Amino acid sequence: MPHTMTIEKTVFRFDDLRDLMAKATPERSGDQLAGIAAEGPVERLAAQIALADLPLKAFLGEELISSDEDEVSRLITERHDSAAFAPVSSLTVGEFREWLLRPETTQHQLEAVTWGLTPEMVAAVSKIMRLQDMIAVSAKRHVVTRFRNTLGLAGRLSTRNQPNHPTDDSRGIIASAIDGLLMGSGDAVIGVNPATDATDDYIRIVSLLDELREKLAIPTQTCCLGHVTTAMQAMERSAPVDLVFQSVAGSEKANRGFGIDLALLKEAHEAARSLKRSPPGANLMYFETGQGAALSADAHFGVDQQTMETRAYAVAREFEPLLVNTVVGFIGPEYLFNGKQIIRAGIEDHFCGKLLGLPMGVDVCYTNHADADQEDMDTLLTLLCAANVNFVITVPGADDIMLNYQSLSHHDAVYCRETLKRPPAPEFEKWLFDIGLTDRHGAMAGEPIALSNYVRNSELIGA
């Protein structure tokens, strides 16, 4: 059904809910590329006012992508819990924003409505919120997951140590991993993006990471971020696979472009569980998303990129992952043009993922041809810490030499620990102290004895 809003005698018409959502989205280059963005700030304001007056129930009666042609839409419908939705079912989108911001709405209330919210509802409310609104709500919502340590506790920030190498060289990977460990990075995961997707290379990478973890008794988990089918082949050969990784998107067509569907992800999840490498009930999956993924695959069906991103979270939460992160600025300026758009998108993604019950992290990053710089990343990192983000990704010198983009440096993890008072997972925090890397207050404290002895007295793994 169409929606209208009048501003100073000008009537703005939005053909359907999909059009209204797109026009209400804060400015970003991806929606402009797709030809679905508002023509200017006045039309955007009109759409946001109309969206604020829309009942949340409207999202249960009008699908943005038909369930008849999309398994993600079917999943969203099937998993909607009407009892969990009841406390907010009478609200409009604008009233839902006010409910979220109320001091009386705490972690308990936010957790209780999780499965009553659809991705579209959550995306909608984010479109009428300022950055500080989303930060305030996200800071109240804690999503705790566990493997060999405990992630997502209030007031803590975990890090993914990302030791990528352009040729997947074993010595290069381990040297980079140790570089990150020397700065206290790696409690979320030590995770490598492989340059190839060969099963033998995958097995070599997870094996050398697992050897490093065991030799140093690091309370963390490891991951090779190869395709899920490669991970399954490696698990069939009894490789030491901790986390199974996969990029996911917000439509069936986009996921087919990644070579996956829900059935395949379920099979991989069950295979990981069968390895019994973790305590009972541990979270075993790691998903990455990013605004623009569906649009770049021509699989967005006219839906704005931020809503498509939020729909990807419905896929992720189906498998109770340990980690989910948006690679917010990685896809490029065609989708998020500059630092301002990247910062907004990072806060949006984290907010929407948290409301949907996901352990959200953010790869605070940008490509070299985007209108952004490291000061934009400093801003986003600091805002995310205020929002209680679960984890961020760090690389040596903030420069990923394999993926060719700019992220955070391991030194940024020190800034978060020492200046923003965001210690890592408690088990990892204890390990950092025990090896002599940090003092009792979490500050850097000189030479880490165990790590130094390891580097001096043994050849690098894989040499």
Side-chain angles (χ1 to χ4, degrees):
M1 60 176 289
H3 305 267
T4 60
M5 177 55 59
T6 302
I7 296 181
E8 295 184 350
K9 299 182 180 180
T10 299
V11 178
F12 294 89
R13 177 187 172 92
F14 310 100
D15 293 336
D16 52 23
L17 185 52
R18 179 166 48 191
D19 185 40
L20 178 65
M21 291 277 280
K23 296 295 196 301
T25 305
E27 182 179 11
R28 63 207 58 200
S29 52
D31 293 334
Q32 292 167 339
L33 176 68
I36 60 175
E39 292 185 1
V42 178
E43 184 181 28
R44 183 176 302 112
L45 176 62
Q48 290 172 339
I49 295 172
L51 184 61
D53 290 340
L54 189 72
L56 285 178
K57 287 181 179 178
F59 292 96
L60 302 179
E62 183 178 349
E63 292 184 319
L64 302 189
I65 303 175
S66 172
S67 293
D68 294 337
E69 58 183 289
D70 186 81
E71 70 172 359
V72 177
S73 292
R74 290 195 294 274
L75 177 69
I76 291 169
T77 299
E78 291 167 1
R79 291 294 182 264
H80 182 256
D81 185 335
S82 57
F85 181 55
V88 295
S89 62
S90 64
L91 303 181
T92 63
V93 173
E95 290 168 342
F96 182 45
R97 170 189 172 275
E98 294 171 1
W99 182 86
L100 290 169
L101 289 166
R102 287 171 52 193
E104 297 83 2
T105 302
T106 63
Q107 162 72 9
H108 176 73
Q109 285 78 26
L110 293 173
E111 188 174 11
V113 301
T114 297
W115 287 93
L117 303 176
T118 68
E120 291 83 357
M121 293 176 191
V122 171
V125 75
S126 74
K127 296 178 190 299
I128 63 168
M129 297 177 82
R130 293 171 57 188
L131 292 182
Q132 67 175 239
D133 295 339
M134 291 185 283
I135 291 168
V137 176
S138 300
K140 297 192 288 186
R141 183 63 166 105
H142 314 305
V143 182
V144 178
T145 56
R146 295 175 175 84
F147 196 102
R148 293 191 183 92
N149 54 21
T150 308
L151 305 174
L153 295 170
R156 293 181 179 268
L157 173 71
S158 295
T159 49
R160 171 183 159 192
N161 181 339
Q162 182 169 290
N164 294 345
H165 190 275
T167 64
D168 289 342
D169 178 74
S170 294
R171 291 172 65 93
I173 289 172
I174 291 303
S176 181
I178 290 172
D179 183 52
L181 290 169
L182 286 168
M183 300 302 293
S185 176
D187 57 324
V189 64
I190 304 175
V192 172
N193 294 91
T196 70
D197 209 27
T199 304
D200 287 345
D201 284 340
Y202 183 103
I203 293 173
R204 173 176 56 85
I205 291 169
V206 295
S207 297
L208 68 90
L209 292 178
D210 193 57
E211 185 179 348
L212 174 68
R213 180 191 62 79
E214 287 194 332
K215 284 192 173 183
L216 293 176
I218 310 170
T220 191
Q221 34 286 329
T222 64
C223 183
C224 179
L225 282 72
H227 193 268
V228 65
T229 55
T230 307
M232 293 167 69
Q233 292 167 8
M235 288 188 284
E236 289 175 359
R237 293 165 57 179
S238 300
V241 176
D242 282 352
L243 300 181
V244 174
F245 168 83
Q246 184 55 49
S247 295
V248 296
S251 72
E252 180 180 347
K253 181 180 178 182
N255 283 325
R256 282 203 307 268
F258 286 139
I260 62 167
D261 58 21
L262 295 175
L264 181 64
L265 292 177
K266 181 179 180 181
E267 184 180 352
H269 188 212
E270 292 171 350
R273 186 75 66 197
S274 70
L275 294 180
K276 298 181 179 179
R277 290 181 53 80
S278 61
N283 306 93
L284 304 176
M285 303 294 282
Y286 176 14
F287 295 113
E288 280 191 346
T289 65
Q291 286 195 30
L295 174 57
S296 67
D298 191 26
H300 63 108
F301 300 90
V303 178
D304 67 271
Q305 69 178 33
Q306 189 258 337
T307 300
M308 290 302 298
E309 166 74 6
T310 308
R311 283 170 55 89
Y313 302 154
V315 176
R317 73 174 178 174
E318 181 72 4
F319 301 97
E320 300 179 338
L322 180 79
L323 306 167
V324 179
N325 74 262
T326 166
V327 283
V328 65
F330 179 73
I331 301 181
E334 299 85 356
Y335 307 97
L336 295 169
F337 180 73
N338 55 23
K340 181 177 181 179
Q341 291 186 14
I342 292 171
I343 290 168
R344 169 82 195 189
I347 299 300
E348 285 173 348
D349 293 352
H350 175 252
F351 165 82
C352 291
K354 278 288 185 69
L355 278 192
L356 292 170
L358 287 176
M360 284 302 295
V362 177
D363 188 357
V364 179
C365 63
Y366 62 100
T367 58
N368 289 313
H369 60 310
D371 183 16
D373 57 31
Q374 215 62 36
E375 290 197 344
D376 294 319
M377 301 305 102
D378 289 347
T379 299
L380 179 53
L381 172 62
T382 303
L383 293 176
L384 285 167
C385 285
N388 199 44
V389 69
N390 278 39
F391 72 104
V392 294
I393 295 176
T394 63
V395 301
D399 185 10
D400 191 308
I401 59 174
M402 193 281 280
L403 292 175
N404 195 30
Y405 78 118
Q406 307 304 306
S407 186
L408 298 176
S409 73
H410 301 313
H411 296 75
D412 293 321
V414 178
Y415 159 71
C416 294
R417 286 198 307 270
E418 296 186 355
T419 302
L420 303 181
K421 307 304 179 186
R422 290 292 187 272
E427 301 89 346
F428 195 82
E429 181 182 28
K430 180 179 183 300
W431 179 79
L432 292 176
F433 174 74
D434 289 345
I435 67 170
L437 183 63
T438 60
D439 62 21
R440 294 187 181 277
H441 303 290
M444 300 295 290
E447 185 173 325
I449 300 170
L451 267 175
S452 298
N453 288 340
Y454 170 74
V455 173
R456 288 194 183 102
N457 299 328
S458 66
E459 292 187 356
L460 288 176
I461 297 171

